[in-house]
Amino acid sequence: MNSKGTSPTFTETQTGYASLIKGLGATTLPWGKTLSEALTVDDLPFWEIFATELAYRHLTTAVASVGPLARTKQGLRPYLLRLRHWIKAASRRRTAEGCLSWPAGNTMLCLGFTERMYRDVLEPVVERVITHNAFGAVVLAELAQSGKRSGSAGVRVYQTTSQHWDVHVEDRLRHLTRALAQLEKRFKSSGALAALQVGLDSSLSSAVEQLFHLLFKGHIPLMAPQAVLARHILEKHRPAIVLSPDTADSRTRVYALLCERMGIPCLDVQFGLTGDEAIEWRFFTASRVAVWGDSSKRFLIKHGVAEEKIHVTGSPRHDILVNPPAAVFDSFRATFGQTGTRKIVVLASTYTDSAHGDYTDPGILREMKLAIFRAADCSPGLLLIVKPHPHENVDETRALCGNCQNVVFAEQTSDIRAVIAVCDAFISFGSTATIDALIADKLTVCPIFPGWPFSDVFRDSGAVLVPQSVEELMALFRKLETGNLLKEKAELGGARSAYLQEISHQPDGLASARIEKLVLEMAGTEK
């Protein structure tokens, strides 16, 4: 129960989890060190590396894992993670080619472990930097991409961590692996877990036990080589600056934490929406962060980020939406063909997982999707393009759509901004792409059937239409088909402008240029 005597909201729960993880890190273990200190091995701070993911993802999953089957799945999870990693790693050849091909002179290291994040918010900045400055860019990714591209002044190369192995990395990894094994034994034999469970109820106590099983048997062994490689790359090549699109991902956090220790500037570039629920910012570690707008700045300060570290720049993700290049429209026609006079409606689909079940009935999302598909089926004058979420089960969504006419599916890995730029109307269930549609000045719709809590921020903005039933959705589609929503769109215009002024600083297509200037300043190479 919260202070109001009701069940805690999603935000209240997430905030509580963040506080718990921070509290665990500061807890003194039986041998006199705090947990955070004990899990710092060979100067690699493993607790801090994983703290964000533990708070917003793993603890949520562990608490939701009730019953023998769920607990068994949790017990097997670290071993399955390691098996999946081993299968992927088996096909990757370890070399030192990355060290040999590292650009000479000033370089920036760009963390592209999640391809869509790199594409949306880092790549536009990289393009500007290498075009206008004698600056090299190394994009570090999971999978190798086509080698090298020169700008008019600088160069960009793509590398993977597996291209930075040498005998020194191997020696460090062997030493670290032995030290981690000794730490795990000490943790178990000393009663450290019991010390960390003091004062927790049975549900949280069980979840914390699951977390340390996951850490010691899965995530820490998998992170060890990545952490050694990160330190090797930063020490050997000493980039002038590191750029990251994600403050939560452990793969990027290890670089930010090591940069802090080594005095290398590190810039986070905000990718998604921020709010009270965005607890990842409570664990912020970079030197500075480039954020979308004043609203993001206020939320980050609320989460504990120092104001002087926050720079309001707008998002590179939105630059392409202000003045879409002709290539966007050519690509659309190549993918979906000629659509004639039909109205184009884009649905940014989404998903729910077991943790969401604590806050909403998953059946509500299915009901809203089904209502949209049926409305499209009755609307031959429009084409509904469904863009699945990257983590969505597309087969389930296709099955829900069934034989409905006037519906096509975009590739799950495609860039939703390309179809937003072309569409007449946009529908979402509260996703980040809703901001894209508003910036592109599209009629924007957020269905909220009773019991759906994840679109409230857009409803409260007054900038979107909010159908709340099957009947209202059907009526909306009839108006979309005939183009009779111009009045409604115009009426939303004032609220849209006011909302965007808070959310996105000067949506003028120049966010990448502002971040370029910040990068050069931080790297000490500003002209």
Side-chain angles (χ1 to χ4, degrees):
M1 291 290 180
N2 58 23
S3 59
K4 298 177 183 178
T6 60
S7 296
T9 64
F10 176 75
T11 296
E12 289 170 339
T13 299
Q14 290 289 288
T15 301
Y17 289 168
S19 297
L20 174 59
I21 293 300
K22 281 184 172 289
L24 290 176
T27 299
T28 301
L29 301 182
W31 64 89
K33 287 187 175 182
T34 67
L35 176 64
S36 179
E37 292 168 343
L39 288 183
T40 299
V41 182
D42 202 11
D43 204 32
L44 295 169
F46 286 97
W47 182 253
E48 305 306 326
I49 290 171
F50 290 111
T52 308
E53 289 185 4
L54 291 174
Y56 86 89
R57 180 187 301 168
H58 301 312
L59 184 55
T60 300
T61 302
V63 170
S65 297
V66 179
L69 180 60
R71 291 293 302 276
T72 299
K73 287 181 178 179
Q74 279 289 94
L76 292 174
R77 189 174 166 203
Y79 305 108
L80 295 175
L81 285 172
R82 293 176 72 171
L83 176 62
R84 185 173 64 182
H85 175 81
W86 181 84
I87 292 171
K88 287 182 178 179
S91 62
R92 298 175 188 168
R93 189 168 62 96
R94 292 179 173 180
T95 73
E97 293 171 3
C99 292
L100 299 175
S101 62
W102 194 278
N106 283 325
T107 57
M108 60 179 177
L109 175 60
C110 305
L111 305 179
F113 299 122
T114 302
E115 183 179 354
R116 64 190 174 93
M117 290 185 173
Y118 169 74
R119 176 198 68 202
D120 289 2
V121 300
L122 294 191
E123 188 170 42
V125 178
V126 172
E127 288 291 333
R128 287 195 61 90
V129 172
I130 69 170
T131 299
H132 302 136
N133 307 275
F135 219 98
V138 176
V139 181
L140 204 59
E142 282 283 310
L143 300 174
Q145 301 183 45
S146 55
K148 185 175 185 179
R149 191 190 84 74
S150 295
S152 57
V155 66
R156 173 183 60 194
V157 297
Y158 293 99
Q159 298 183 354
T160 67
T161 52
S162 60
Q163 293 174 315
H164 285 271
W165 283 87
D166 62 19
V167 292
H168 301 293
V169 171
E170 294 283 3
D171 287 345
R172 278 182 161 180
L173 180 58
R174 277 194 293 270
H175 177 272
L176 177 62
T177 301
R178 287 194 296 268
L180 288 171
Q182 293 170 359
L183 171 64
E184 183 182 1
K185 289 180 182 178
R186 188 174 192 181
F187 185 88
K188 291 180 177 179
S189 64
S190 68
L193 179 61
L196 295 166
Q197 291 171 314
V198 171
L200 301 181
D201 62 30
S202 59
S203 175
L204 283 176
S205 180
S206 173
V208 166
E209 181 178 0
Q210 292 178 55
L211 287 189
F212 284 99
H213 174 69
L214 182 64
L215 278 177
F216 281 121
K217 298 303 182 185
H219 286 297
I220 288 178
L222 289 176
M223 177 53 67
Q226 296 303 314
V228 170
L229 282 164
R231 185 165 59 187
H232 167 77
I233 289 169
L234 294 175
E235 286 179 348
K236 183 165 186 175
H237 302 292
R238 196 76 190 188
I241 187 171
V242 174
L243 270 63
S244 169
D246 189 356
T247 193
D249 189 336
S250 58
R251 295 171 299 177
T252 63
R253 284 184 62 79
V254 64
Y255 285 86
L257 287 160
L258 288 173
C259 281
E260 184 180 32
R261 282 165 156 71
M262 297 169 64
I264 297 174
C266 180
L267 175 66
D268 269 347
V269 181
Q270 179 189 346
F271 175 76
L273 280 168
T274 60
D276 286 329
E277 77 289 345
I279 59 170
E280 63 268 24
W281 296 105
R282 292 174 179 255
F283 302 90
F284 175 74
T285 56
S287 311
R288 303 191 203 177
V289 56
V291 301
W292 290 8
D294 291 333
S295 174
S296 296
K297 181 177 180 178
R298 285 196 300 272
F299 278 118
L300 263 62
I301 291 172
K302 192 174 180 180
H303 284 302
V305 179
E307 184 174 0
E308 62 270 18
K309 293 187 175 186
I310 304 170
H311 297 261
V312 178
T313 60
S315 176
R317 172 187 173 92
H318 301 145
D319 285 353
I320 195 176
L321 294 164
V322 177
N323 295 299
V328 170
F329 299 92
D330 293 341
S331 175
F332 179 86
R333 285 189 290 269
T335 304
F336 299 103
Q338 297 293 338
T339 57
T341 60
R342 301 170 83 185
K343 301 296 183 184
I344 306 300
V345 180
V346 171
L347 170 63
S349 191
T350 192
Y351 72 105
T352 56
D353 58 26
S354 58
H356 290 120
D358 290 339
Y359 311 100
T360 187
D361 179 355
I364 296 171
L365 180 59
R366 289 194 296 271
E367 183 185 356
M368 291 192 291
K369 287 183 183 180
L370 187 58
I372 291 168
F373 292 145
R374 288 178 175 170
D377 189 44
C378 300
S379 307
L382 61 76
L383 177 67
L384 178 69
I385 299 175
V386 181
K387 168 58 176 69
H389 188 280
H391 301 306
E392 185 173 355
N393 186 324
V394 183
D395 290 337
E396 284 185 4
T397 305
R398 285 184 180 276
L400 195 62
C401 180
N403 296 320
C404 289
Q405 300 298 303
N406 313 312
V407 181
V408 295
F409 279 72
E411 289 293 329
Q412 189 169 24
T413 56
S414 63
D415 186 347
I416 195 170
R417 295 172 300 171
V419 286
I420 287 175
V422 177
C423 76
D424 297 288
F426 173 86
I427 304 173
S428 88
F429 303 109
S431 71
T432 298
T434 310
I435 303 296
D436 299 342
L438 290 170
I439 286 175
D441 197 18
K442 305 297 180 178
L443 178 68
T444 306
V445 181
C446 289
I448 302 182
F449 285 14
W452 182 252
F454 300 118
S455 300
D456 290 356
V457 64
F458 295 115
R459 177 200 62 200
D460 296 343
S461 74
V464 303
L465 295 177
V466 185
Q468 301 182 57
S469 66
V470 174
E471 294 75 21
E472 289 184 15
L473 265 174
M474 292 294 289
L476 176 65
F477 267 68
R478 285 193 292 270
K479 287 187 175 183
L480 283 172
E481 187 179 19
T482 57
N484 289 334
L485 283 168
L486 294 177
K487 179 183 176 183
E488 285 87 343
K489 184 174 184 292
E491 290 174 345
L492 296 171
R496 169 189 169 273
S497 297
Y499 181 61
L500 288 180
Q501 190 173 7
E502 282 288 298
I503 291 293
S504 183
H505 174 72
Q506 297 181 25
D508 52 10
L510 296 175
S512 300
R514 287 187 283 271
I515 296 176
E516 174 196 15
K517 183 178 180 181
L518 178 59
V519 166
L520 297 177
E521 175 199 325
M522 291 178 65
T525 59
E526 188 175 23
K527 293 179 180 179

